[in-house]
Amino acid sequence: MLQAFVMVLTVGLSSPLFAATSPVDFRFRIASDPATLDWTLARSSSETYVILNLMEGLVRHSAELKPEPALASSWTVSPDGKIYRFELRENVKWSDGRKLRAQDFVDSWIRLLDPKTRSDYASFLSEIEGAEAFSRGKAAASAVAARAITESSLEVKLRAPSSRFLHLLTFWVTFPIRSDLIQKHGKAWTSPANLAVVGPYRLAEWKKGSQLTLERNPSYWAPAAGPSRAEIRIEPDEKRARVDFAAGKEDVLLNATTEDLLRQASQGTSAQPGARVAQFPYLATYYLGFNARKGPLKEAGVRKAIAYAIARSEIPSVLQGGQSAAAGFVPPGIDGASSAPFLSGTLYAARGALSKAGFPEGTKLPKLELLIMSADGGEPLARLLQSQLRQKLGIEVEPRVIESATQFQTQLRAGKFDVFVSRWGADYPDALNFLEVFESRNKLNVTGWSSREFDGLIAQSRASADASAKRTLDQRAEKLLLDEHAVIVPLYHRKNTVLVGPRVRELSITPLNYFFLRNVRF
Protein backbone atom coordinates (compact mmCIF):
# COMPACT_ATOMS: atom_id res chain seq x y z
CA MET A 1 0.00 0.00 0.00
CA LEU A 2 1.26 3.46 -0.85
CA GLN A 3 2.10 5.60 2.13
CA ALA A 4 0.57 9.04 1.60
CA PHE A 5 1.80 12.16 3.32
CA VAL A 6 -1.17 13.19 5.46
CA MET A 7 -1.47 16.75 6.74
CA VAL A 8 -3.82 17.49 9.59
CA LEU A 9 -4.73 21.02 10.65
CA THR A 10 -7.22 21.66 13.39
CA VAL A 11 -8.79 25.10 13.21
CA GLY A 12 -11.91 26.09 15.12
CA LEU A 13 -13.26 29.08 16.95
CA SER A 14 -11.97 27.59 20.16
CA SER A 15 -8.45 27.45 18.67
CA PRO A 16 -6.19 30.42 17.83
CA LEU A 17 -6.38 31.47 14.20
CA PHE A 18 -3.03 31.93 12.49
CA ALA A 19 -2.53 35.41 11.04
CA ALA A 20 -1.48 35.30 7.41
CA THR A 21 1.82 37.11 6.84
CA SER A 22 2.19 36.51 3.11
CA PRO A 23 0.17 38.35 0.45
CA VAL A 24 0.68 35.45 -1.94
CA ASP A 25 -2.12 34.29 -4.21
CA PHE A 26 -3.39 30.74 -3.95
CA ARG A 27 -4.37 28.88 -7.09
CA PHE A 28 -6.52 25.82 -7.61
CA ARG A 29 -8.76 24.34 -10.26
CA ILE A 30 -12.38 23.24 -10.52
CA ALA A 31 -13.75 21.26 -13.45
CA SER A 32 -16.62 23.56 -14.40
CA ASP A 33 -18.19 26.89 -13.70
CA PRO A 34 -20.49 26.75 -10.68
CA ALA A 35 -23.99 26.12 -11.94
CA THR A 36 -25.02 28.76 -9.43
CA LEU A 37 -23.61 30.72 -6.51
CA ASP A 38 -27.10 30.94 -5.02
CA TRP A 39 -26.54 28.87 -1.87
CA THR A 40 -30.23 28.02 -1.61
CA LEU A 41 -29.88 26.04 -4.84
CA ALA A 42 -26.22 24.93 -4.84
CA ARG A 43 -25.46 21.21 -4.68
CA SER A 44 -22.11 20.34 -6.34
CA SER A 45 -18.47 20.61 -5.23
CA SER A 46 -17.76 23.20 -7.94
CA GLU A 47 -20.25 25.45 -6.22
CA THR A 48 -19.48 24.68 -2.62
CA TYR A 49 -15.69 25.11 -2.94
CA VAL A 50 -16.58 28.74 -3.69
CA ILE A 51 -19.64 29.31 -1.50
CA LEU A 52 -18.13 27.90 1.70
CA ASN A 53 -15.38 30.50 1.50
CA LEU A 54 -17.82 33.34 0.85
CA MET A 55 -20.45 32.49 3.45
CA GLU A 56 -21.06 31.07 6.90
CA GLY A 57 -24.04 30.02 8.99
CA LEU A 58 -25.09 30.26 12.59
CA VAL A 59 -23.02 27.20 13.43
CA ARG A 60 -20.00 25.45 11.98
CA HIS A 61 -18.22 22.18 12.73
CA SER A 62 -15.10 21.84 14.81
CA ALA A 63 -12.31 19.53 13.67
CA GLU A 64 -14.13 16.78 15.60
CA LEU A 65 -17.38 17.56 13.68
CA LYS A 66 -19.04 19.02 16.77
CA PRO A 67 -21.28 22.09 16.33
CA GLU A 68 -19.64 25.29 17.52
CA PRO A 69 -20.54 29.01 17.19
CA ALA A 70 -19.99 30.81 13.89
CA LEU A 71 -22.26 33.78 13.13
CA ALA A 72 -24.14 32.99 16.34
CA SER A 73 -22.22 33.87 19.47
CA SER A 74 -24.36 31.54 21.59
CA TRP A 75 -27.69 29.74 21.82
CA THR A 76 -30.04 28.31 24.40
CA VAL A 77 -32.44 25.37 24.22
CA SER A 78 -35.72 25.10 26.11
CA PRO A 79 -36.13 22.29 28.68
CA ASP A 80 -38.36 20.33 26.28
CA GLY A 81 -35.69 20.53 23.54
CA LYS A 82 -38.02 22.20 21.04
CA ILE A 83 -37.17 25.91 21.16
CA TYR A 84 -33.76 27.25 20.15
CA ARG A 85 -32.80 30.89 20.63
CA PHE A 86 -29.67 32.15 18.84
CA GLU A 87 -27.84 35.38 19.64
CA LEU A 88 -25.89 36.81 16.70
CA ARG A 89 -22.38 38.21 17.04
CA GLU A 90 -22.47 41.97 17.40
CA ASN A 91 -19.60 42.64 14.97
CA VAL A 92 -20.85 40.79 11.88
CA LYS A 93 -21.40 42.90 8.78
CA TRP A 94 -22.14 42.00 5.19
CA SER A 95 -19.37 42.89 2.77
CA ASP A 96 -21.35 45.95 1.64
CA GLY A 97 -21.32 47.28 5.20
CA ARG A 98 -24.87 46.41 6.30
CA LYS A 99 -25.17 44.70 9.68
CA LEU A 100 -26.23 41.04 9.77
CA ARG A 101 -29.80 40.67 11.06
CA ALA A 102 -31.75 37.74 12.45
CA GLN A 103 -34.35 38.38 9.74
CA ASP A 104 -31.69 37.47 7.12
CA PHE A 105 -31.89 33.88 8.37
CA VAL A 106 -35.69 33.85 8.41
CA ASP A 107 -35.71 35.16 4.83
CA SER A 108 -33.27 32.45 3.78
CA TRP A 109 -35.21 29.62 5.37
CA ILE A 110 -38.56 30.75 3.98
CA ARG A 111 -36.99 30.98 0.53
CA LEU A 112 -35.51 27.47 0.88
CA LEU A 113 -38.87 25.99 1.94
CA ASP A 114 -40.94 27.87 -0.63
CA PRO A 115 -42.14 25.34 -3.25
CA LYS A 116 -41.62 28.03 -5.92
CA THR A 117 -37.85 27.95 -5.24
CA ARG A 118 -37.65 24.26 -6.22
CA SER A 119 -34.54 23.61 -4.13
CA ASP A 120 -33.29 20.01 -3.90
CA TYR A 121 -32.88 20.65 -0.17
CA ALA A 122 -36.37 22.02 0.49
CA SER A 123 -36.97 19.31 3.10
CA PHE A 124 -33.78 20.14 4.99
CA LEU A 125 -35.52 22.23 7.65
CA SER A 126 -38.70 20.16 7.84
CA GLU A 127 -38.18 19.67 11.58
CA ILE A 128 -39.17 23.30 12.17
CA GLU A 129 -42.82 23.59 13.14
CA GLY A 130 -44.91 24.53 10.11
CA ALA A 131 -42.04 24.09 7.65
CA GLU A 132 -43.27 20.90 5.98
CA ALA A 133 -46.80 22.21 5.57
CA PHE A 134 -45.48 25.38 3.93
CA SER A 135 -43.09 23.48 1.64
CA ARG A 136 -46.01 21.31 0.46
CA GLY A 137 -48.16 24.34 -0.27
CA LYS A 138 -50.57 23.53 2.57
CA ALA A 139 -49.81 26.56 4.75
CA ALA A 140 -48.60 30.13 4.48
CA ALA A 141 -45.02 31.18 5.15
CA SER A 142 -46.19 32.70 8.44
CA ALA A 143 -46.78 29.15 9.74
CA VAL A 144 -43.01 28.48 9.78
CA ALA A 145 -41.90 28.83 13.41
CA ALA A 146 -38.73 30.85 12.83
CA ARG A 147 -38.88 34.41 14.14
CA ALA A 148 -36.55 37.38 14.46
CA ILE A 149 -37.27 38.31 18.09
CA THR A 150 -34.93 41.28 17.89
CA GLU A 151 -32.46 42.44 15.25
CA SER A 152 -29.86 40.09 16.73
CA SER A 153 -32.00 37.30 18.25
CA LEU A 154 -33.50 34.40 16.32
CA GLU A 155 -36.01 31.96 17.79
CA VAL A 156 -36.85 28.61 16.20
CA LYS A 157 -39.46 26.10 17.37
CA LEU A 158 -39.18 22.46 16.31
CA ARG A 159 -41.97 19.93 15.97
CA ALA A 160 -40.07 17.60 18.30
CA PRO A 161 -36.65 17.51 19.96
CA SER A 162 -33.89 16.81 17.44
CA SER A 163 -30.34 15.58 18.00
CA ARG A 164 -29.29 16.75 14.53
CA PHE A 165 -30.75 20.25 14.31
CA LEU A 166 -27.51 22.11 15.09
CA HIS A 167 -25.68 20.00 12.50
CA LEU A 168 -28.22 21.07 9.88
CA LEU A 169 -27.33 24.70 10.49
CA THR A 170 -23.75 24.13 9.31
CA PHE A 171 -25.03 23.40 5.79
CA TRP A 172 -24.98 26.13 3.16
CA VAL A 173 -28.70 26.15 2.35
CA THR A 174 -29.33 27.49 5.88
CA PHE A 175 -26.93 30.45 5.50
CA PRO A 176 -28.47 33.96 5.62
CA ILE A 177 -29.46 35.83 2.47
CA ARG A 178 -30.09 39.42 1.49
CA SER A 179 -33.64 39.45 0.22
CA ASP A 180 -33.30 43.15 -0.63
CA LEU A 181 -30.49 42.40 -3.10
CA ILE A 182 -32.38 39.47 -4.62
CA GLN A 183 -35.41 41.70 -5.17
CA LYS A 184 -33.26 44.48 -6.61
CA HIS A 185 -31.05 42.45 -8.95
CA GLY A 186 -33.06 39.30 -9.68
CA LYS A 187 -30.95 36.40 -10.96
CA ALA A 188 -27.95 38.74 -11.19
CA TRP A 189 -27.73 39.04 -7.39
CA THR A 190 -24.79 36.59 -7.30
CA SER A 191 -22.64 38.54 -9.79
CA PRO A 192 -19.43 40.04 -8.36
CA ALA A 193 -20.83 43.57 -8.55
CA ASN A 194 -23.98 42.69 -6.58
CA LEU A 195 -23.09 39.86 -4.21
CA ALA A 196 -22.83 40.69 -0.50
CA VAL A 197 -21.34 38.03 1.78
CA VAL A 198 -20.43 37.48 5.44
CA GLY A 199 -17.63 34.92 5.04
CA PRO A 200 -13.84 35.38 5.08
CA TYR A 201 -13.65 36.04 1.31
CA ARG A 202 -15.64 38.03 -1.23
CA LEU A 203 -16.16 37.41 -4.95
CA ALA A 204 -13.90 39.86 -6.82
CA GLU A 205 -14.28 38.47 -10.32
CA TRP A 206 -16.01 35.74 -12.29
CA LYS A 207 -15.00 35.23 -15.90
CA LYS A 208 -17.35 32.48 -17.04
CA GLY A 209 -15.46 29.52 -18.47
CA SER A 210 -12.13 30.89 -17.29
CA GLN A 211 -11.66 31.92 -13.67
CA LEU A 212 -13.15 33.08 -10.39
CA THR A 213 -11.14 35.32 -8.08
CA LEU A 214 -11.75 35.54 -4.34
CA GLU A 215 -10.24 38.25 -2.14
CA ARG A 216 -10.21 38.59 1.62
CA ASN A 217 -13.35 40.22 2.94
CA PRO A 218 -12.25 43.27 4.99
CA SER A 219 -15.61 43.23 6.78
CA TYR A 220 -15.17 39.67 8.09
CA TRP A 221 -15.76 39.42 11.83
CA ALA A 222 -12.79 37.14 12.70
CA PRO A 223 -9.01 37.68 12.30
CA ALA A 224 -7.69 37.20 8.76
CA ALA A 225 -6.19 33.83 7.90
CA GLY A 226 -5.19 32.03 4.72
CA PRO A 227 -4.09 33.59 1.42
CA SER A 228 -5.07 37.15 0.59
CA ARG A 229 -6.40 36.07 -2.84
CA ALA A 230 -7.47 32.84 -4.46
CA GLU A 231 -7.59 32.25 -8.18
CA ILE A 232 -9.95 29.42 -9.09
CA ARG A 233 -9.34 28.28 -12.65
CA ILE A 234 -12.04 26.56 -14.71
CA GLU A 235 -10.55 23.60 -16.55
CA PRO A 236 -12.95 20.89 -17.74
CA ASP A 237 -10.25 18.77 -19.40
CA GLU A 238 -8.87 16.34 -16.82
CA LYS A 239 -5.65 15.68 -18.76
CA ARG A 240 -5.04 19.39 -19.25
CA ALA A 241 -5.56 19.93 -15.51
CA ARG A 242 -2.80 17.44 -14.73
CA VAL A 243 -0.43 19.12 -17.20
CA ASP A 244 -1.16 22.50 -15.63
CA PHE A 245 -0.50 21.21 -12.11
CA ALA A 246 2.77 19.64 -13.26
CA ALA A 247 3.78 23.02 -14.71
CA GLY A 248 3.11 24.73 -11.38
CA LYS A 249 0.04 26.66 -12.54
CA GLU A 250 -1.93 25.45 -9.49
CA ASP A 251 -0.92 24.99 -5.88
CA VAL A 252 -3.18 21.98 -5.31
CA LEU A 253 -5.09 19.47 -7.40
CA LEU A 254 -8.33 18.75 -5.58
CA ASN A 255 -10.30 15.56 -6.20
CA ALA A 256 -7.17 13.76 -7.31
CA THR A 257 -7.67 10.21 -8.52
CA THR A 258 -6.00 6.87 -7.90
CA GLU A 259 -4.13 7.37 -11.16
CA ASP A 260 -2.76 10.68 -9.84
CA LEU A 261 -1.67 9.03 -6.63
CA LEU A 262 0.16 6.23 -8.45
CA ARG A 263 1.74 8.64 -10.93
CA GLN A 264 2.93 10.97 -8.19
CA ALA A 265 4.42 8.05 -6.27
CA SER A 266 6.48 7.02 -9.30
CA GLN A 267 7.44 10.67 -10.08
CA GLY A 268 6.14 10.36 -13.62
CA THR A 269 6.01 13.07 -16.25
CA SER A 270 3.00 14.80 -14.76
CA ALA A 271 4.49 15.13 -11.26
CA GLN A 272 5.29 18.68 -10.12
CA PRO A 273 8.78 18.83 -8.55
CA GLY A 274 8.39 19.01 -4.80
CA ALA A 275 4.71 18.03 -4.90
CA ARG A 276 3.31 15.50 -2.47
CA VAL A 277 0.14 13.54 -1.82
CA ALA A 278 -2.28 14.25 1.02
CA GLN A 279 -5.21 12.02 1.92
CA PHE A 280 -8.06 12.90 4.26
CA PRO A 281 -10.96 10.90 5.73
CA TYR A 282 -14.17 11.21 3.72
CA LEU A 283 -17.66 10.37 5.00
CA ALA A 284 -18.99 9.01 1.72
CA THR A 285 -20.15 5.76 0.13
CA TYR A 286 -20.03 4.69 -3.52
CA TYR A 287 -22.95 2.45 -4.40
CA LEU A 288 -24.73 0.64 -7.20
CA GLY A 289 -28.35 1.74 -7.62
CA PHE A 290 -31.25 0.18 -9.52
CA ASN A 291 -34.05 1.63 -11.59
CA ALA A 292 -36.89 0.00 -9.69
CA ARG A 293 -39.56 1.52 -11.94
CA LYS A 294 -39.22 -0.64 -15.03
CA GLY A 295 -38.53 -4.11 -16.37
CA PRO A 296 -37.13 -7.02 -14.39
CA LEU A 297 -35.47 -4.68 -11.87
CA LYS A 298 -38.90 -3.93 -10.42
CA GLU A 299 -38.54 -7.36 -8.81
CA ALA A 300 -36.65 -7.33 -5.49
CA GLY A 301 -35.49 -10.89 -6.24
CA VAL A 302 -33.57 -9.76 -9.33
CA ARG A 303 -32.01 -6.88 -7.41
CA LYS A 304 -31.03 -9.22 -4.58
CA ALA A 305 -29.43 -11.66 -7.00
CA ILE A 306 -27.23 -8.91 -8.41
CA ALA A 307 -26.42 -7.59 -4.94
CA TYR A 308 -25.37 -11.03 -3.68
CA ALA A 309 -23.22 -11.69 -6.74
CA ILE A 310 -21.06 -8.57 -6.41
CA ALA A 311 -17.81 -9.34 -4.60
CA ARG A 312 -17.04 -6.00 -2.99
CA SER A 313 -13.84 -7.37 -1.51
CA GLU A 314 -12.30 -7.33 -5.01
CA ILE A 315 -12.86 -3.59 -5.53
CA PRO A 316 -9.87 -2.20 -3.54
CA SER A 317 -7.34 -4.27 -5.49
CA VAL A 318 -8.86 -3.13 -8.79
CA LEU A 319 -9.02 0.58 -7.94
CA GLN A 320 -5.71 0.62 -5.99
CA GLY A 321 -6.24 3.94 -4.22
CA GLY A 322 -6.71 2.84 -0.63
CA GLN A 323 -10.43 2.17 -1.04
CA SER A 324 -12.19 -0.12 1.43
CA ALA A 325 -15.13 -2.42 0.75
CA ALA A 326 -18.42 -1.06 2.15
CA ALA A 327 -20.37 -3.06 4.71
CA GLY A 328 -23.32 -0.69 4.60
CA PHE A 329 -24.50 2.58 3.13
CA VAL A 330 -23.77 4.60 6.28
CA PRO A 331 -19.97 4.95 6.33
CA PRO A 332 -17.63 4.25 9.26
CA GLY A 333 -17.18 7.33 11.41
CA ILE A 334 -20.91 8.02 11.72
CA ASP A 335 -22.86 6.75 14.72
CA GLY A 336 -24.78 3.63 13.83
CA ALA A 337 -22.58 2.53 10.93
CA SER A 338 -22.54 -1.26 10.61
CA SER A 339 -19.30 -3.22 10.82
CA ALA A 340 -20.97 -6.39 9.51
CA PRO A 341 -22.21 -6.49 5.90
CA PHE A 342 -25.96 -6.01 5.46
CA LEU A 343 -25.81 -8.07 2.26
CA SER A 344 -24.59 -11.50 3.22
CA GLY A 345 -26.29 -13.71 0.63
CA THR A 346 -24.26 -16.41 -1.08
CA LEU A 347 -23.81 -17.04 -4.80
CA TYR A 348 -26.14 -20.01 -4.36
CA ALA A 349 -28.78 -17.66 -2.92
CA ALA A 350 -28.20 -15.21 -5.78
CA ARG A 351 -28.78 -17.87 -8.42
CA GLY A 352 -31.83 -19.11 -6.56
CA ALA A 353 -33.33 -15.61 -6.35
CA LEU A 354 -32.76 -15.08 -10.06
CA SER A 355 -34.34 -18.42 -10.94
CA LYS A 356 -37.34 -17.75 -8.68
CA ALA A 357 -37.85 -14.42 -10.48
CA GLY A 358 -38.08 -16.33 -13.78
CA PHE A 359 -34.55 -15.79 -15.12
CA PRO A 360 -32.56 -18.99 -14.43
CA GLU A 361 -28.87 -18.42 -15.17
CA GLY A 362 -29.75 -15.01 -16.57
CA THR A 363 -31.80 -16.36 -19.47
CA LYS A 364 -34.51 -14.05 -20.86
CA LEU A 365 -33.07 -11.17 -18.83
CA PRO A 366 -32.36 -8.23 -21.17
CA LYS A 367 -28.94 -6.62 -21.21
CA LEU A 368 -28.66 -4.04 -18.44
CA GLU A 369 -27.29 -0.58 -19.16
CA LEU A 370 -24.89 0.65 -16.46
CA LEU A 371 -24.55 4.42 -16.10
CA ILE A 372 -21.23 5.38 -14.53
CA MET A 373 -18.91 8.40 -14.31
CA SER A 374 -15.46 7.99 -15.85
CA ALA A 375 -13.69 9.84 -13.02
CA ASP A 376 -11.55 8.04 -10.46
CA GLY A 377 -11.69 4.45 -11.61
CA GLY A 378 -15.12 4.40 -13.21
CA GLU A 379 -14.06 2.33 -16.21
CA PRO A 380 -12.16 -0.42 -14.32
CA LEU A 381 -15.02 -0.62 -11.81
CA ALA A 382 -17.51 -0.99 -14.66
CA ARG A 383 -15.42 -3.80 -16.17
CA LEU A 384 -15.26 -5.56 -12.80
CA LEU A 385 -19.03 -5.41 -12.29
CA GLN A 386 -19.62 -6.51 -15.88
CA SER A 387 -17.32 -9.51 -15.44
CA GLN A 388 -18.71 -10.58 -12.07
CA LEU A 389 -22.34 -10.54 -13.19
CA ARG A 390 -21.63 -12.31 -16.46
CA GLN A 391 -19.57 -15.08 -14.86
CA LYS A 392 -21.72 -15.64 -11.80
CA LEU A 393 -25.26 -15.06 -13.05
CA GLY A 394 -25.09 -14.95 -16.83
CA ILE A 395 -26.30 -11.33 -16.74
CA GLU A 396 -24.97 -9.07 -19.48
CA VAL A 397 -24.15 -5.49 -18.55
CA GLU A 398 -23.34 -2.72 -21.01
CA PRO A 399 -21.46 0.17 -19.37
CA ARG A 400 -22.21 3.71 -20.51
CA VAL A 401 -19.29 5.78 -19.23
CA ILE A 402 -19.96 9.51 -18.94
CA GLU A 403 -17.36 12.26 -18.60
CA SER A 404 -19.56 15.18 -17.55
CA ALA A 405 -21.02 15.29 -14.04
CA THR A 406 -23.83 17.52 -15.30
CA GLN A 407 -24.75 15.06 -18.04
CA PHE A 408 -24.58 12.18 -15.58
CA GLN A 409 -27.04 13.89 -13.22
CA THR A 410 -29.34 14.76 -16.13
CA GLN A 411 -29.47 11.11 -17.22
CA LEU A 412 -30.16 9.98 -13.65
CA ARG A 413 -33.00 12.43 -13.13
CA ALA A 414 -34.53 11.41 -16.46
CA GLY A 415 -34.45 7.73 -15.43
CA LYS A 416 -32.37 6.80 -18.47
CA PHE A 417 -30.56 3.83 -16.93
CA ASP A 418 -31.07 0.31 -15.64
CA VAL A 419 -28.33 0.43 -13.02
CA PHE A 420 -25.94 3.20 -12.03
CA VAL A 421 -22.95 3.86 -9.81
CA SER A 422 -23.08 7.01 -7.73
CA ARG A 423 -21.75 8.45 -4.49
CA TRP A 424 -23.36 10.05 -1.49
CA GLY A 425 -21.19 12.18 0.79
CA ALA A 426 -22.39 13.45 4.15
CA ASP A 427 -23.88 16.92 4.37
CA TYR A 428 -23.68 16.52 8.15
CA PRO A 429 -22.44 13.59 10.27
CA ASP A 430 -25.65 11.63 10.85
CA ALA A 431 -26.92 8.32 9.48
CA LEU A 432 -30.22 9.97 8.64
CA ASN A 433 -28.50 12.19 6.07
CA PHE A 434 -27.69 9.05 4.04
CA LEU A 435 -30.92 7.14 4.53
CA GLU A 436 -33.36 9.98 3.84
CA VAL A 437 -32.05 10.20 0.27
CA PHE A 438 -34.29 7.21 -0.50
CA GLU A 439 -37.51 8.52 1.01
CA SER A 440 -40.42 8.36 -1.41
CA ARG A 441 -40.74 12.15 -1.72
CA ASN A 442 -37.03 12.98 -1.86
CA LYS A 443 -36.09 14.54 -5.21
CA LEU A 444 -32.68 12.87 -4.97
CA ASN A 445 -34.22 9.37 -4.95
CA VAL A 446 -33.79 8.50 -8.63
CA THR A 447 -34.46 4.77 -8.12
CA GLY A 448 -38.24 5.11 -8.17
CA TRP A 449 -38.47 2.86 -5.11
CA SER A 450 -41.05 3.73 -2.48
CA SER A 451 -41.84 2.17 0.87
CA ARG A 452 -44.29 3.39 3.51
CA GLU A 453 -42.47 1.38 6.15
CA PHE A 454 -39.14 2.97 5.25
CA ASP A 455 -40.66 6.47 5.19
CA GLY A 456 -42.20 5.83 8.60
CA LEU A 457 -38.86 4.77 10.09
CA ILE A 458 -37.19 7.90 8.74
CA ALA A 459 -39.95 10.08 10.21
CA GLN A 460 -39.59 8.37 13.60
CA SER A 461 -35.82 8.83 13.49
CA ARG A 462 -36.20 12.55 12.80
CA ALA A 463 -38.50 12.89 15.79
CA SER A 464 -36.29 10.92 18.17
CA ALA A 465 -34.09 12.80 20.63
CA ASP A 466 -32.85 9.55 22.20
CA ALA A 467 -29.58 8.50 20.55
CA SER A 468 -30.04 4.79 21.24
CA ALA A 469 -33.61 4.71 19.95
CA LYS A 470 -32.61 6.71 16.88
CA ARG A 471 -29.73 4.32 16.14
CA THR A 472 -32.14 1.37 16.26
CA LEU A 473 -34.54 3.08 13.85
CA ASP A 474 -31.74 4.02 11.45
CA GLN A 475 -30.34 0.49 11.38
CA ARG A 476 -33.78 -0.98 10.77
CA ALA A 477 -34.28 1.46 7.87
CA GLU A 478 -30.89 0.58 6.41
CA LYS A 479 -31.65 -3.14 6.60
CA LEU A 480 -34.93 -2.53 4.79
CA LEU A 481 -33.17 -0.52 2.08
CA LEU A 482 -30.22 -2.85 1.54
CA ASP A 483 -31.18 -6.35 2.61
CA GLU A 484 -34.93 -6.75 2.33
CA HIS A 485 -35.49 -4.65 -0.80
CA ALA A 486 -31.96 -4.39 -2.23
CA VAL A 487 -32.59 -0.90 -3.64
CA ILE A 488 -28.88 -0.12 -3.68
CA VAL A 489 -25.66 -2.06 -3.20
CA PRO A 490 -22.94 -0.32 -1.14
CA LEU A 491 -19.62 -0.80 -2.96
CA TYR A 492 -16.74 1.03 -1.29
CA HIS A 493 -15.45 4.00 0.68
CA ARG A 494 -12.43 6.08 -0.23
CA LYS A 495 -10.32 8.91 1.16
CA ASN A 496 -10.11 12.38 -0.32
CA THR A 497 -6.84 12.60 -2.22
CA VAL A 498 -5.15 15.92 -3.00
CA LEU A 499 -1.91 16.68 -4.83
CA VAL A 500 -0.13 19.51 -3.02
CA GLY A 501 2.45 21.78 -4.62
CA PRO A 502 5.70 22.84 -2.94
CA ARG A 503 4.54 26.33 -1.92
CA VAL A 504 1.87 24.95 0.42
CA ARG A 505 2.89 23.93 3.94
CA GLU A 506 -0.52 22.95 5.32
CA LEU A 507 -4.10 22.52 4.19
CA SER A 508 -7.02 20.28 5.05
CA ILE A 509 -10.16 18.80 3.54
CA THR A 510 -12.83 18.04 6.11
CA PRO A 511 -14.59 14.64 6.26
CA LEU A 512 -17.56 16.43 4.67
CA ASN A 513 -15.38 17.38 1.65
CA TYR A 514 -15.23 21.05 2.65
CA PHE A 515 -12.18 23.04 1.59
CA PHE A 516 -11.60 26.23 3.59
CA LEU A 517 -9.04 28.72 2.33
CA ARG A 518 -8.58 29.98 5.88
CA ASN A 519 -6.81 26.70 6.68
CA VAL A 520 -4.12 27.09 3.97
CA ARG A 521 -0.58 27.94 5.14
CA PHE A 522 2.43 28.67 2.94
Side-chain angles (χ1 to χ4, degrees):
M1 181 179 293
L2 290 166
Q3 297 297 311
F5 182 86
V6 179
M7 295 170 287
V8 179
L9 178 63
T10 302
V11 176
L13 293 183
S14 58
S15 305
L17 290 168
F18 293 85
T21 57
S22 171
V24 70
D25 288 351
F26 178 75
R27 302 163 309 206
F28 67 100
R29 165 256 182 182
I30 55 179
S32 63
D33 276 295
T36 179
L37 290 183
D38 180 339
W39 43 91
T40 306
L41 301 174
R43 63 187 307 274
S44 73
S45 59
S46 290
E47 296 152 13
T48 57
Y49 285 151
V50 180
I51 290 170
L52 288 172
N53 289 292
L54 299 175
M55 287 298 297
E56 287 184 331
L58 290 166
V59 180
R60 71 185 187 188
H61 280 124
S62 69
E64 295 77 30
L65 296 183
K66 303 295 184 183
E68 64 181 15
L71 298 181
S73 59
S74 63
W75 57 83
T76 57
V77 186
S78 62
D80 64 0
K82 292 183 180 181
I83 300 175
Y84 286 71
R85 183 160 179 166
F86 298 90
E87 300 298 328
L88 303 186
R89 293 182 183 275
E90 288 296 322
N91 61 334
V92 180
K93 293 182 179 181
W94 292 89
S95 54
D96 65 357
R98 207 209 76 180
K99 186 176 180 180
L100 177 70
R101 303 168 184 169
Q103 187 63 38
D104 297 336
F105 288 93
V106 177
D107 292 344
S108 172
W109 298 358
I110 295 298
R111 183 169 181 259
L112 172 67
L113 293 164
D114 192 332
K116 295 178 182 177
T117 305
R118 301 175 65 87
S119 172
D120 283 342
Y121 289 99
S123 64
F124 216 70
L125 294 177
S126 61
E127 292 173 12
I128 298 176
E129 187 176 278
E132 187 170 5
F134 171 57
S135 68
R136 292 189 181 188
K138 297 181 178 179
S142 58
V144 180
R147 305 279 187 271
I149 304 302
T150 68
E151 190 175 79
S152 59
S153 298
L154 175 68
E155 185 176 275
V156 186
K157 184 177 181 181
L158 308 184
R159 294 185 298 176
S162 171
S163 60
R164 67 172 188 156
F165 182 63
L166 289 175
H167 288 291
L168 294 174
L169 302 184
T170 68
F171 196 60
W172 57 82
V173 297
T174 70
F175 294 173
I177 59 166
R178 288 284 295 278
S179 59
D180 58 321
L181 297 182
I182 295 173
Q183 291 170 7
K184 180 179 180 180
H185 300 293
K187 292 182 179 180
W189 75 275
T190 58
S191 69
N194 301 328
L195 185 62
V197 297
V198 292
Y201 290 84
R202 67 180 187 88
L203 182 63
E205 182 183 53
W206 185 1
K207 294 180 180 178
K208 295 289 181 71
S210 176
Q211 179 176 299
L212 298 96
T213 302
L214 307 188
E215 294 178 345
R216 277 206 200 127
N217 177 9
S219 300
Y220 186 53
W221 62 270
S228 58
R229 280 169 46 98
E231 296 177 359
I232 309 173
R233 293 179 62 248
I234 311 298
E235 178 50 73
D237 189 302
E238 296 293 338
K239 291 181 180 178
R240 181 74 246 174
R242 271 75 189 158
V243 172
D244 288 346
F245 177 76
K249 292 183 179 180
E250 279 98 31
D251 291 299
V252 298
L253 182 66
L254 300 173
N255 295 316
T257 65
T258 298
E259 291 82 359
D260 295 318
L261 191 153
L262 296 172
R263 191 181 299 118
Q264 185 69 32
S266 63
Q267 290 296 300
T269 56
S270 64
Q272 183 181 156
R276 59 199 185 275
V277 175
Q279 285 192 312
F280 303 93
Y282 186 23
L283 295 176
T285 304
Y286 286 73
Y287 65 94
L288 180 78
F290 298 98
N291 188 339
R293 287 171 292 216
K294 64 178 187 177
L297 294 176
K298 284 202 249 182
E299 299 293 330
V302 176
R303 301 195 300 264
K304 284 184 181 182
I306 293 172
Y308 295 158
I310 294 174
R312 287 165 288 175
S313 59
E314 296 180 15
I315 294 174
S317 62
V318 170
L319 298 185
Q320 300 183 57
Q323 292 83 359
S324 59
F329 187 44
V330 179
I334 290 182
D335 183 44
S338 176
S339 57
F342 275 93
L343 293 163
S344 55
T346 64
L347 180 57
Y348 177 80
R351 289 171 174 165
L354 198 61
S355 180
K356 188 175 180 180
F359 306 101
E361 298 182 0
T363 57
K364 300 181 181 179
L365 189 71
K367 184 181 290 185
L368 301 179
E369 183 178 65
L370 167 65
L371 193 67
I372 191 168
M373 284 282 294
S374 62
D376 202 11
E379 293 187 50
L381 177 61
R383 289 194 295 271
L384 175 65
L385 297 175
Q386 185 182 41
S387 173
Q388 288 184 348
L389 295 179
R390 178 188 294 127
Q391 292 178 11
K392 296 179 179 181
L393 299 179
I395 294 176
E396 290 296 329
V397 173
E398 182 177 350
R400 182 152 60 96
V401 182
I402 294 182
E403 297 281 343
S404 164
T406 301
Q407 184 184 357
F408 180 77
Q409 290 298 328
T410 299
Q411 296 293 307
L412 280 184
R413 288 170 182 263
K416 295 182 178 180
F417 63 88
D418 294 313
V419 289
F420 66 96
V421 171
S422 190
R423 171 191 72 197
W424 184 259
D427 298 322
Y428 56 91
D430 191 300
L432 198 56
N433 181 229
F434 284 76
L435 299 171
E436 65 187 358
V437 172
F438 295 97
E439 277 186 293
S440 301
R441 292 181 65 250
N442 196 315
K443 294 179 182 178
L444 301 172
N445 179 9
V446 298
T447 67
W449 175 74
S450 177
S451 165
R452 287 186 180 180
E453 182 181 0
F454 182 84
D455 293 348
L457 290 166
I458 298 301
Q460 290 178 64
S461 176
R462 283 200 190 102
S464 177
D466 181 270
S468 177
K470 180 182 179 305
R471 190 182 306 116
T472 299
L473 289 164
D474 291 341
Q475 290 178 345
R476 170 62 187 142
E478 188 170 11
K479 180 175 175 60
L480 197 71
L481 178 73
L482 303 184
D483 191 23
E484 296 180 25
H485 289 264
V487 182
I488 62 170
V489 185
L491 297 175
Y492 67 92
H493 312 293
R494 70 163 175 85
K495 293 182 179 180
N496 257 326
T497 301
V498 181
L499 298 186
V500 185
R503 295 201 309 154
V504 178
R505 176 167 58 90
E506 292 177 328
L507 61 77
S508 61
I509 308 292
T510 77
L512 303 177
N513 194 28
Y514 292 175
F515 176 50
F516 296 112
L517 290 169
R518 67 175 182 260
N519 292 349
V520 175
R521 304 288 178 265
F522 292 95

